Amino acid sequence: MYNKKSLKAEEFINNNEIIRTLDYAEKNKNNISLINDILEKARPKKIGKETHCCGLTHEEASILLACDDESVIKKIYSIAEEIKQAFYGERIVIFAPLYLSNYCVNGCIYCPYHYQNKKILRKKLTQEEIKAEVIALQDMGHKRLAIESGEDSINNPIEYILESIKTIYSIKHKNGSIRRVNVNIAATTVENYKKLKEAGIGTYILFQETYHKETYENLHPTGPKHNYAYHTEAMDRAMEGGIDDVGLGVLFGLEGYKYEFAALLMHAEHLEAVHGVGPHTISVPRVKKAIDINPTDFDNGIDDEVFAKIVALIRIAVPYTGIIISTRENQEVREKLLKLGVSQVSGASRTSVGGYTQEERPVDTEQFDVSDQRTLDEVVQWLLQLGHIPSFCTACYREGRTGDRFMSLCKTGQIQNCCQPNAIITLKEFLTDYASKETKKIGEAFIIKELEKIENQSVKQVLENNLKEIEKGKRDFRF
Ligand code: SAM
């Protein structure tokens, strides 16, 4: 039976409830008066100086997803843009993945790390190699990483991951530093989540891949990842272990997108109901070509239009959750999705183990083909030219603004008073230390314009002072 407060995977991601939802959505997809009510509910409301948004349930959002009416889709897009603007402004947070090891004991059919893949070169970074990778990432200007690893308790035990995190945080090269390490490793125990928390991680990210149990078991035929319940209940264990920022995700293409979408929102509702805080981020990867992997083998691929609609509806349904888009997607797709709700992008990513220290983009250990291969400077310049503020901010987590504290600040819009100045400060650091001449010129002019928009005079004064100090060589100011 469906119970969003249950801690059992099959009760909070309940198959019957998903089927009922999809059926109800299909029956009501042309019910214009119901659709208008849902759109009205989703719209941000001004109460005094604050903007409020109540989000949508999985059922409401599924009705909108089922609706093909062009005018409704336009309204969905415009509400998503409105929410994006109200809560995130023009800020886009930038990060890079760091692949530590591609040794893996699982048999995931869609992933090139699967243990039977003899075509991929297996590699695990030593601490010295990690140091070199981090220096290369710092030299580009990165401040925030997501570490990635295959599942293998012999080659990549939790001690290896913890030691790697310590190494990453310890490196201070020139003016560089990695200030937030997010972690994307396989589902693990409460004890291990506690250790990750103690190591000072930011978000714990784990993609569900597919919420459909039978499909999940077929796609993960062997290895520890085969266990659907253990994987699906991982975020509850992570939260029990003290990690309050967790990142969900679905690998689109494996199962029907309407099923995944409803289940993903049910997962978010479950976390909110049980732990009082929803997911910090949601990622929306699509299956890509990789060594020994052909995306056309999976017949649930979604086109760019459906993909955009999903992103816009996630923005509307969970207004306070960050949406992440990786370099799996090309520049054009990323550009469209930025407007509709994406708040974080990866830049200059290399998905091969040890890829950042090699001159040529290596492909023999790669996890998937990278569509957007631009440099970080190019990504920053692109964002600025589109009117976005590229942000390398990591302040919230370092100031203890995580979990429900972050969410409540976010919900009252107060986060804006920190995020905007912090984005400007970290952009200034990037421009001073790493940018090309052209990017620096565009960025400095952009900062002047952004300063003019700040209404709170005391915030403005402190910020202007910080910017001057950065020019003199000081770093790491934050609100
Ligand atoms: N090993 C970890 C686990 O079991 O969750 C996660 C690390 S894995 C490097 C990160 C993610 O890459 C996976 O969760 C999966 O969604 C995604 N991935 C795997 N194969 C992919 C492919 N062919 N195309 C796009 N993304 C893929």
Side-chain angles (χ1 to χ4, degrees), residues 110-111 148-149 184 206-207 209 225 288 328 367:
Y110 52 84
C111 181
E148 314 270 341
S149 163
N184 182 7
L206 181 69
F207 300 160
E209 322 301 4
K225 198 163 172 175
K288 292 275 305 179
R328 287 177 183 85
Q367 210 217 348

Side-chain angles (χ1 to χ4, degrees), residues 378-393:
E378 285 166 338
V379 170
V380 168
Q381 193 180 121
W382 162 68
L383 290 171
L384 287 166
Q385 273 163 341
L386 292 172
H388 296 290
I389 312 176
S391 173
F392 294 89
C393 179

Side-chain angles (χ1 to χ4, degrees), residues 34 72 79 86 106 108 122 153 211 228 328 345-346 360 409 442 452:
L34 177 62
V72 171
I79 295 172
N106 286 313
C108 316
R122 299 289 167 175
S153 59
Y211 283 96
Y228 176 82
R328 287 177 183 85
V345 298
S346 46
E360 288 288 315
L409 283 170
I442 299 168
E452 282 165 14

